[in-house]
Amino acid sequence: PQVTFSDDNSRVSAVLPTGESVTVLLYGATVTSWTDATGAEKLWLSSAAHLDGTKAVRGGIPLVFPVFGTAPDHAQTGKLPQHGFARTSRWEFLGKSTSESAGGSGAADLTAKLDFGLSAAGLDEAARKLWPFAFNLIYSVNLNRESLTTSLVVTNDDDKAFDCQVLMHTYLRVKDISNVEVLGLESAEYVDKVDGAKTKTQAAAVTITGETDRVYTPAGEAVTVVEGGKKTYSVTRDNLSNVVVWNPWTDKAAGMGDFEPKDGYKNMLCIEPGSVSGWQSLEPGDAYEGAQTITYYS
Ligand code: TA6
């Protein structure tokens, strides 16, 4: 049983012999599609998302680097656009590979891996001027029957240190946001960005009943998305200390030109693993790696 890879000048995809698939746009190394064996999409993608490189993709898994949001008081990243330049740069496709887990018995244990790279040479002039560091990013997208793992390695190739933030801005597809609960954040501290960036503590399961924009620092490494009482996703983090939970709700959805359909907020929930409540300081030669694994339960 073999994995089918295809790549044209703008996107790369992998399809497992059992039917699961992933598609990655070279623009931003943005995962735009992840399906189960029946072709059912696991990620939400706006029907008005720009897929032609003219704007960060509204949906899928945009990559946030070197800054989350904007950091006007941060000398090195203060002038960068919201969420940095990784999601709006053209990445290189570095290659593909297939591996079989030990003791695998064939199709059930295959993993398809797609690798992408971005360095200073790949940045447009504006970005390089605003953030003049020699760096290298390697982004790996790993697909198997149950899960999708995305991992980012940042290396400092400069002769001076730099600070960065990393986040995987995952838009999970849900059937109906009013039936969704997020478990695993109980008793975690969070910054509530829709309530004056106040720091609060999460009491019970997270439910979404309006615009929600929270930066959690949970003790555990996994969160679970439950719909109608049934587990639908788990998201585990590796070396990423934060989880952002975001839903734009009606007004913010109405205000985003590339967010369609306007009631699409009912079918998506952003669960965004990242390292964003502080800064990763990389000395020359240092590397930082962070990863997420999203498992779905059909
Ligand atoms: O991750 C949540 C967030 O920071 C929200 O505040 C909202 O701005 C969202 O990202 C989308 O940002 P974007 O730049 O993609 O429109």
Side-chain angles (χ1 to χ4, degrees):
Q2 280 314 308
V3 177
T4 311
F5 293 98
S6 64
D7 68 87
D8 64 24
N9 192 26
S10 69
R11 71 198 66 207
V12 178
S13 66
V15 184
L16 299 183
T18 39
E20 297 81 0
S21 71
V22 68
T23 298
V24 186
L25 215 51
L26 291 178
Y27 179 73
T30 313
V31 177
T32 53
S33 167
W34 168 36
T35 73
D36 66 13
T38 71
E41 284 287 350
K42 301 296 160 192
L43 301 174
W44 185 85
L45 184 67
S46 164
S47 55
H50 293 224
L51 300 176
D52 59 356
T54 52
K55 185 179 189 301
V57 176
R58 179 67 60 202
I61 309 177
L63 270 180
V64 173
F65 174 86
V67 61
F68 173 66
T70 55
D73 304 338
H74 187 252
Q76 291 178 356
T77 62
K79 297 189 185 65
L80 289 176
Q82 168 137 305
H83 294 332
F85 49 67
R87 64 177 183 165
T88 52
S89 296
R90 183 170 169 90
W91 290 57
E92 275 179 272
F93 176 43
L94 301 181
K96 55 186 190 274
S97 60
T98 306
S99 60
E100 199 154 6
S101 52
S105 57
D109 304 89
L110 281 177
T111 295
K113 180 168 177 282
L114 301 171
D115 289 328
F116 303 88
L118 180 68
S119 63
L123 293 190
D124 62 37
E125 201 47 46
R128 230 198 330 258
K129 270 212 182 68
L130 294 173
W131 199 74
F133 296 97
F135 71 96
N136 195 50
L137 302 180
I138 303 276
Y139 184 55
S140 294
V141 177
N142 302 268
L143 172 74
N144 65 31
R145 289 194 73 182
E146 299 82 32
S147 67
L148 184 74
T149 294
T150 63
S151 82
L152 184 69
V153 180
V154 184
T155 50
N156 179 342
D157 295 347
D158 211 308
D159 58 7
K160 48 192 180 302
F162 61 68
D163 294 345
C164 63
Q165 295 175 326
V166 164
L167 178 124
M168 298 167 184
H169 202 291
T170 311
Y171 288 72
L172 293 177
R173 182 180 293 270
V174 298
K175 290 184 186 59
D176 178 348
I177 194 67
S178 62
N179 293 335
V180 168
E181 282 187 313
V182 181
L183 310 180
L185 296 171
E186 295 80 0
S187 76
E189 269 207 356
Y190 66 94
V191 172
D192 188 342
K193 291 169 67 180
V194 297
D195 184 11
K198 283 186 198 134
T199 297
K200 302 177 179 178
T201 301
Q202 182 65 35
V206 177
T207 55
I208 310 292
T209 56
E211 183 187 351
T212 306
D213 194 350
R214 303 175 183 176
V215 182
Y216 285 89
T217 307
E221 289 178 343
V223 301
T224 304
V225 177
V226 175
E227 290 191 62
K230 187 178 170 306
K231 198 157 84 160
T232 50
Y233 300 101
S234 67
V235 180
T236 55
R237 303 184 319 282
D238 176 7
N239 204 29
L240 293 171
S241 55
N242 301 115
V243 180
V244 174
V245 177
W246 178 57
N247 187 292
W249 213 252
T250 48
D251 298 354
K252 285 291 185 343
M256 290 182 277
D258 61 351
F259 192 102
E260 291 289 349
K262 286 305 172 198
D263 65 352
Y265 69 89
K266 296 175 181 169
N267 304 112
M268 52 72 69
L269 179 60
C270 279
I271 299 288
E272 312 164 15
S275 172
V276 298
S277 53
W279 296 89
Q280 292 297 333
S281 295
L282 271 68
E283 293 298 322
D286 277 356
Y288 169 77
E289 174 161 14
Q292 70 170 337
T293 292
I294 315 166
T295 303
Y296 71 89
Y297 303 91
S298 38

